[in-house]
Amino acid sequence: MTQPPNGPVSAPSPTPRPDAPGSSSTAGRHRVVVVDDHAMFRTGVKAEIGRAVEVVGEAADADAAINVVLESRPDVVLLDVHLPGGGGIEVLRKVHEKNPEQKFLALSVSDAAEDVIGVIRAGARGYVTKSIAGDELIDAIRRVAEGDAVFSPRLAGFVLDAFSGAIDISSVDEDLDRLSQREREVLRLIARGYAYKEVAKELFISIKTVETHVSSVLRKLQLSNRHQLTRWATDRRLV
Amino acid sequence: MSATEPRSKPDSGERIASDPAPTPAPGTSLPAPAAAGSTPEIARTSPAPGTPAAETPAAGAPASESPIAQAAKAAADRDAGQVTGEPRPRATRPAETAMLGGVCAGLARHLGWPVLVFRVGFVVLMCIQFVGVVIYGLLWLLLPPEPIRAAPGLESAARSGMRDATSAFSFRRFDWGSFFALAALGVGLLWMIQISGLGMAQEIFWPLLLACVGVALVWRQADISRQRQALAELSAGPRSVRAATRGRTLTVLSAIFGLVLVGAAFALILAQQGNFELLPNVAAMTMLALAALAIVLAPWLHRSRAELNEARAEKVRAETRADMAAHLHDSVLQTLALIQRQSDDPKVVQRLARRQERELRSWLYGEQTEQVTFKAALTAAAADVEDDRGVPIELVTVGDSPPSEAVQAIVAAAREAMVNAAKHSGADKIDVYAEVFDDELEVFVRDRGSGFDLADVGPDRMGVRRSIIDRMERHGGSAEIRSDPATGTEVRLKITNGS
C-alpha cells in the first residue's frame, strides 16, 4: 500500500528498492515464511523450495502469521489467501501497519477474481496458484524478493478485465486510472502464457522494462480507485 | 462443509444435552429431529434395544421369553456402548419397535429392562383408576420421537434421489401377537375389577375408555404421519411421495375416527346425565369457549408456526450445504480410487487429478453461467481436450460474449488448435488466452513444444489447414500460425463479432 512510487514508467532502468533488514546478507538464498493452514501443503512447499531458499518460519493462521512475519522479517512471505482468522488480507493489513516494506506473494487454490484482485489490492506483490511447479515458484519468490511483481496469466487476465472497456483516453484524467498501451500489451502477452523473457523479446524491450511495466500495473491496481475498477469490484462484491 | 460435522456425530453428548423438552402437541410436527427422521443405526444394526419379547412365536409365555429379551437387551447395550460410548441411551420413542406410542420400548431401552415389564406394568396400572393411562399419555407427550439419522453422504444421496431411503427404513411388521396378548390381559383385568365392584362407576368408565382409545388413535396417527413425512423428505423419489400421500389419507381417516370416539364419549356422558335436550346448548357453549381460546392463543400459535417454518428453511439450507459437501467428497473419493488403481501410469494420474481439480474449482469458486457464452463454450472445449489428451490447458479469458455464429466458429477452431497442440507438440502445458473486444474476438493457443513448418505440413495434419485456417476464413476471420522449433507454436485466431 505504501510502496515507494516507482520511477517514471518509461524509464527502463531498474528501480532501486530498500531491502528488508537482514536480507542482503544471505548470499542469494532468500528468507521465506510459509503461511498456509494445511500442514501437508506447507511440508510440500518447503520440500520443493527448500533447495533454493531458506524457510525461516511457518504459520497456520492469521495471528500466528502476523507474529512470525513481524519477528523474522523474511524477504518474502508465501501467503495463502484463505486462512483462519481473517484470511490473507488480514495478515497483509496488520503486517503492513508495522512494516510497510514486507513483501508478500499470494498463493491460493482459488482463482476466483474476488480473491485474486482482493489480495493484490491489499498489498501482495504477486499471485500464483498452488498448482505452480516448484521451479516457477522459486522464480516467483526471487522476483518478488527483488521487488518485482509476479503476474500469472490468470492474474493478468483479471487485471485486463478490470481495466478493460472505456479506454477513452480523453475522458480519463488520472494516470493511475488507466493502463498505458504498452502495459496492456505486456499484460496481454503474460495472459497468453509468455514468460517475462519472451514478452521482452516479443516487444523488443529489455526484461527489466517488462518488470517495470508489471510493477507499474501492480501499483495502479493497488492505488487506483477509478470508477471503472470500483464498479468492476462492486459487480463482483469485492468492496 | 463443516455443516456436515454435527450431523454425522453419533448420538453422544450433543443429543443428551438437549433435554427431552415437552414436545408440542403431536399434531404439529417437530422441526429438526422429527424431520431428520427415524433411526438408521437401529434399523440397520438392529437387535434394537428393547425388541419386544413377542418377536418369538408364543405370545403368552413371558417367563420363557424374558431371557431372550434380556439377551436382546444385552446385545443392544453392547451395541449402544460401542456406538456411542455412553452407558445409557437417551429416552426417546422409537418408531419401529413401538406398539402404541413407543413409550414402553423407549423406557425399556433407556433403563435397560425388558420391554415386556413395562408393557404389562402399564396394562395393570391402567386398571387402577386409569393411572397407567394418564402416565402413559404424559410420557407419550414428554418423550421426543426418535429421529432418523444417517451419515451425511447417505442422507444427501437419499435427498437427491440417488438411493431409496424407504427401503432402508422399512417399518417393522406390526406385532399382532403380543398386541392381542396384552389387550386380552388388559381387558381381562378390567373386566375382573369392574365385576368385583372395585372399579369405577359404569357411567364414567365407558366414556373414559372410549375417549382414551380415541385420543390414542389420534396421537399415534400423528406420530406415524410425522415419520412418513420425514421419510418422504429424506427420499424425494416419486415412490415414497406416493406412499406418503396414501399414508396421509389413512392418517386423516383414523384421526377422524379417533375424534368421533372422543365425541361419542362426551355424548355418552351427557346422555347418562339425562340432560339430552341440553346437548345443542352445551355443544354451542363448548364451541364458543373453544373459539375464544383460539382467538386468545392466535398470536402465540402464529408465532410458533412462523418459527417452525424458519427452522425448517434453515434446515433445508443446511442440507443443501451438506449435499454440496457430499457431492464434492464423493467425486474426490472416486478420483482417488481411480488414481490408486492406475498409480503406475503417471499420465492417467495427472489427467484424473487435473479433471478433479477443475471440477472442484468450478464447484467452489466458479461462476455459474446458464447460457453457453463464448467463455463457457471455450472453457468446455478446453476441458474436453484436457480430458481426452491429458495435457493441462491454462485458459484465461477477458470479457465475454453471447453466443453467435462467430463465437461458434472461433471456439471450434480454437478447439482444433488445442487438440493439435496436445497431439503433436509434446508440450506439457497449453496456454489459451481469449479476449473479447467491442466488435472482435481473439483467441491465442500457445504451446512450448516442438514447432513445425506450416509449409511442410503432412497430409495427416490437414486439420490445421482445413479446420483452423479455412474455417476461420469462411466465417470472415483469420488464423495465423507462428511456429518455431525453439519456442513452440502459437495459433492466433481473430474474428469480427458483429452484434
Side-chain angles (χ1 to χ4, degrees):
Chain A
M1 316 291 278
T2 42
Q3 304 285 353
N6 272 337
V9 174
S10 54
S13 62
T15 332
R17 232 162 235 291
D19 270 337
S23 68
S24 48
S25 60
T26 47
R29 272 169 78 87
H30 294 294
R31 301 169 71 250
V32 173
V33 166
V34 180
V35 180
D36 195 298
D37 54 332
H38 298 283
M40 217 159 77
F41 182 79
R42 290 200 305 269
T43 315
V45 163
K46 272 193 327 199
E48 264 190 332
I49 64 175
R51 60 195 148 89
V53 304
E54 186 188 350
V55 178
V56 295
E58 49 185 290
D61 60 47
D63 290 340
I66 294 163
N67 290 335
V68 169
V69 170
L70 285 176
E71 221 162 82
S72 60
R73 304 214 154 200
D75 296 324
V76 176
V77 180
L78 282 187
L79 182 66
D80 190 8
V81 173
H82 295 161
L83 207 60
I89 291 179
E90 177 76 6
V91 179
L92 279 161
R93 278 204 194 105
K94 288 273 168 64
V95 170
H96 277 164
E97 272 172 22
K98 299 250 172 65
N99 177 15
E101 297 306 318
Q102 184 60 58
K103 298 182 189 102
F104 288 89
L105 174 58
L107 198 65
S108 172
V109 290
S110 156
D111 43 24
E114 290 89 329
D115 290 344
V116 181
I117 299 291
V119 79
I120 294 291
R121 298 235 334 145
R125 302 283 302 163
Y127 182 100
V128 291
T129 51
K130 280 185 175 175
S131 51
I132 189 172
D135 291 336
E136 287 178 52
L137 183 56
I138 291 167
D139 200 45
I141 291 172
R142 182 187 55 75
R143 219 175 268 285
V144 170
E146 288 168 2
D148 291 316
V150 170
F151 273 38
S152 64
R154 193 161 297 274
L155 174 53
F158 284 143
V159 174
L160 282 171
D161 220 358
F163 280 93
S164 77
I167 322 171
D168 198 356
I169 297 169
S170 60
S171 73
V172 177
D173 42 19
E174 249 220 275
D175 194 35
L176 269 184
D177 288 348
R178 63 186 174 85
L179 301 177
S180 73
Q181 193 53 38
R182 209 49 160 173
E183 286 162 353
R184 210 165 260 285
E185 279 168 2
V186 168
L187 279 186
R188 202 167 278 143
L189 285 169
I190 291 173
R192 274 157 63 180
Y194 283 57
Y196 285 13
K197 193 172 68 207
E198 293 165 320
V199 174
K201 196 171 153 225
E202 179 81 14
L203 298 179
F204 305 105
I205 53 179
S206 73
I207 294 183
K208 213 61 221 174
T209 314
V210 174
E211 286 168 351
T212 312
H213 283 313
V214 173
S215 293
S216 149
V217 171
L218 184 83
R219 193 170 54 91
K220 287 181 181 179
L221 189 60
Q222 287 172 348
L223 297 184
S224 164
N225 44 15
R226 101 193 178 117
H227 69 279
Q228 203 78 28
L229 185 58
T230 321
R231 204 183 64 206
W232 183 85
T234 318
D235 284 350
R236 288 160 181 269
R237 296 181 301 279
L238 273 180
V239 283
Chain B
M1 243 161 272
S2 57
T4 65
E5 281 292 85
R7 300 170 64 84
S8 60
K9 214 181 280 176
D11 42 347
S12 52
E14 156 221 341
R15 278 174 67 186
I16 303 234
S18 64
D19 64 349
T23 56
T28 63
S29 53
L30 275 181
S38 79
T39 63
E41 301 114 32
I42 289 173
R44 270 181 286 140
T45 60
S46 205
T51 304
E55 200 85 62
T56 43
S64 72
E65 277 170 14
S66 65
I68 297 171
Q70 262 160 10
K73 184 214 85 186
D77 277 359
R78 265 203 317 281
D79 253 12
Q82 276 165 5
V83 174
T84 64
E86 67 178 83
R88 180 164 292 185
R90 181 179 169 218
T92 50
R93 291 186 291 112
E96 52 315 288
T97 49
M99 200 166 282
L100 196 59
V103 169
C104 290
L107 284 179
R109 180 139 59 96
H110 180 59
L111 298 174
W113 296 355
V115 67
L116 201 64
V117 170
F118 289 98
R119 295 213 164 120
V120 172
F122 271 114
V123 167
V124 171
L125 274 179
M126 181 185 89
C127 303
I128 307 170
Q129 306 289 349
F130 279 74
V131 173
V133 176
V134 173
I135 296 177
Y136 195 97
L138 271 178
L139 286 175
W140 193 334
L141 278 182
L142 287 176
L143 294 185
E146 178 135 335
I148 298 177
R149 255 165 221 276
L154 298 183
E155 279 189 8
S156 113
R159 270 197 299 276
S160 51
M162 289 191 289
R163 66 191 272 282
D164 195 354
T166 39
S167 63
F169 312 118
S170 58
F171 289 102
R172 196 179 59 89
R173 290 189 63 77
F174 190 71
D175 197 348
W176 290 105
S178 83
F179 177 78
F180 280 124
L182 284 170
L185 181 66
V187 169
L189 276 173
L190 276 177
W191 195 260
M192 227 170 70
I193 291 167
Q194 290 303 114
I195 292 240
S196 66
L198 293 171
M200 304 179 195
Q202 295 284 340
E203 54 270 20
I204 303 177
F205 174 78
W206 285 112
L208 206 53
L209 193 66
L210 223 52
C212 283
V213 172
V215 168
L217 214 56
V218 174
W219 283 11
R220 179 169 165 73
Q221 227 38 64
D223 267 0
I224 288 179
S225 69
R226 190 156 58 195
Q227 291 285 352
R228 286 236 168 82
Q229 194 186 359
L231 279 183
E233 272 175 23
L234 260 185
S235 63
R239 225 184 80 198
S240 53
V241 170
R242 265 206 310 281
T245 341
R246 211 169 43 233
R248 204 168 301 140
T249 49
L250 201 70
T251 305
V252 170
L253 277 182
S254 83
I256 290 175
F257 185 59
L259 286 176
V260 167
L261 281 183
V262 175
F266 270 108
L268 214 58
I269 289 183
L270 283 176
Q272 279 161 353
Q273 304 291 331
N275 304 329
F276 210 61
E277 66 279 5
L278 285 180
L279 189 57
N281 275 345
V282 172
M285 291 302 285
T286 313
M287 293 306 274
L288 209 63
L290 283 178
L293 196 68
I295 289 169
V296 170
L297 289 182
W300 180 79
L301 281 176
H302 177 73
R303 205 185 56 220
S304 72
R305 193 173 170 76
E307 276 166 7
L308 203 71
N309 286 340
E310 180 62 30
R312 204 166 264 246
E314 175 52 44
K315 189 176 132 275
V316 168
R317 282 194 290 275
E319 276 167 357
T320 314
R321 284 195 295 273
D323 280 1
M324 277 173 67
H327 168 95
L328 291 181
H329 293 165
D330 190 51
S331 61
V332 171
L333 273 184
Q334 300 237 15
T335 302
L336 286 178
L338 282 171
I339 286 178
Q340 280 177 39
R341 213 177 313 141
Q342 322 216 14
S343 56
D344 48 345
D345 187 346
K347 201 98 178 149
V348 174
V349 169
Q350 195 200 15
R351 188 190 311 173
L352 287 169
R354 180 77 186 169
R355 189 180 64 196
Q356 187 57 59
E357 185 195 334
R358 203 176 52 229
E359 264 183 39
L360 279 176
R361 256 177 217 293
S362 69
W363 255 91
L364 288 172
Y365 313 115
E367 300 163 46
Q368 308 291 330
T369 44
E370 307 282 311
Q371 212 183 4
V372 188
T373 58
F374 175 55
K375 188 174 172 180
L378 202 60
T379 308
D384 271 1
V385 176
E386 196 175 284
D387 278 350
D388 285 353
R389 302 285 160 190
V391 182
I393 295 177
E394 187 81 36
L395 173 68
V396 175
T397 56
V398 171
D400 204 352
S401 159
S404 70
E405 201 186 322
V407 164
Q408 267 183 0
I410 199 170
V411 168
R415 182 197 184 95
E416 197 58 38
M418 288 185 250
V419 169
N420 262 309
K423 219 171 17 181
H424 303 295
S425 75
D428 56 359
K429 189 178 125 201
I430 300 168
D431 284 294
V432 179
Y433 173 69
E435 186 162 359
V436 178
F437 299 95
D438 287 341
D439 55 352
E440 202 175 51
L441 304 172
E442 220 175 347
V443 177
F444 298 83
V445 178
R446 151 137 226 236
D447 67 68
R448 289 150 194 277
S450 55
F452 64 94
D453 189 352
L454 195 60
D456 48 51
V457 168
D460 60 321
R461 289 178 63 175
M462 283 306 284
V464 174
R465 185 164 298 285
R466 204 176 299 144
S467 306
I468 301 178
I469 301 175
D470 289 357
R471 188 198 301 268
M472 291 306 288
E473 280 168 3
R474 257 205 316 282
H475 290 89
S478 68
E480 186 193 334
I481 298 173
R482 290 207 315 183
S483 194
D484 173 347
T487 56
T489 308
E490 186 174 55
V491 180
R492 310 165 170 212
L493 308 169
K494 204 186 266 191
I495 199 165
T496 48
N497 188 25
S499 44

